Amino acid sequence: MDLKDPAAEPKLLRGHDDAISAVAISPDNRWLVTGSDDKTARLWDLKDPAAEPKLLRGHDDAIWAVAISPDNRWLVTGSSDKTARLWDLRAKDPANASIVLRGHEYDINAVAISPDNRWLVTGSSDKTARLWDLSLDELVELACRTVGRNLTKEEWQQYMEDQPYQKNLLRLAVNRKIGTHTI
């Protein structure tokens, strides 16, 4: 690429089977993510843009929004399937490390992560925005609800690598005023 004329020879990144509707670059310039009408996101390593991208599957409809957290840990995708997915970019294989976020009644067409990495917001055609807490306790509870059980030691290491393993993390919010109970 010529710095005097960046448009002179752009690198072409191919792989999607339909229109690309969302793009984002990580703050550390390591990753480029593309979201497409083909129901996939592709994660391109900008250290070697010619390499095959990681294929992120799981959505049942077009991906309309993507964002990468300021700490480069999380990638979020928003889709017409009414879900968002949170992908762990520190995982050995980010394609196998997603948490599904449900609750919207229509397409998710906007996503953002706060500068302190604490909050994820999703915006939808259902005229609502949802604020998701990305703090460790909330993520562990969400991961356990997603898989319907406690995390195994291997899963814990994959998602919470720098935190000591804890059993019985699936929590039931019986009454938020009273607190949560551990199963």
Side-chain angles (χ1 to χ4, degrees), residues 21 29 33 35 41 51 69 80 99 108 120 124 141 156 171:
S21 51
N29 294 314
V33 62
S69 63
S80 292
I99 299 171
I108 294 175
L120 162 63
S124 170
E141 185 175 337
W156 181 272
R171 298 177 183 153

Side-chain angles (χ1 to χ4, degrees), residues 13-28:
L13 305 175
R14 299 178 194 265
H16 283 289
D17 296 326
D18 209 332
I20 294 173
S21 51
V23 296
I25 296 176
S26 64
D28 67 356

Side-chain angles (χ1 to χ4, degrees), residues 16 18-25 32-38 40-44 62-68 75-79 108-111:
H16 283 289
D18 209 332
I20 294 173
S21 51
V23 296
I25 296 176
L32 163 67
V33 62
T34 54
S36 173
D37 291 357
D38 68 8
T40 69
R42 296 192 194 272
L43 186 63
W44 309 83
I63 295 173
W64 289 101
V66 297
I68 299 175
L75 160 63
V76 62
T77 53
S79 172
I108 294 175
N109 43 37
V111 296

Side-chain angles (χ1 to χ4, degrees), residues 120-136:
L120 162 63
V121 63
T122 54
S124 170
S125 297
D126 65 11
K127 303 176 190 164
T128 67
R130 290 182 183 259
L131 189 61
W132 308 84
D133 188 347
L134 296 181
S135 63
L136 180 64

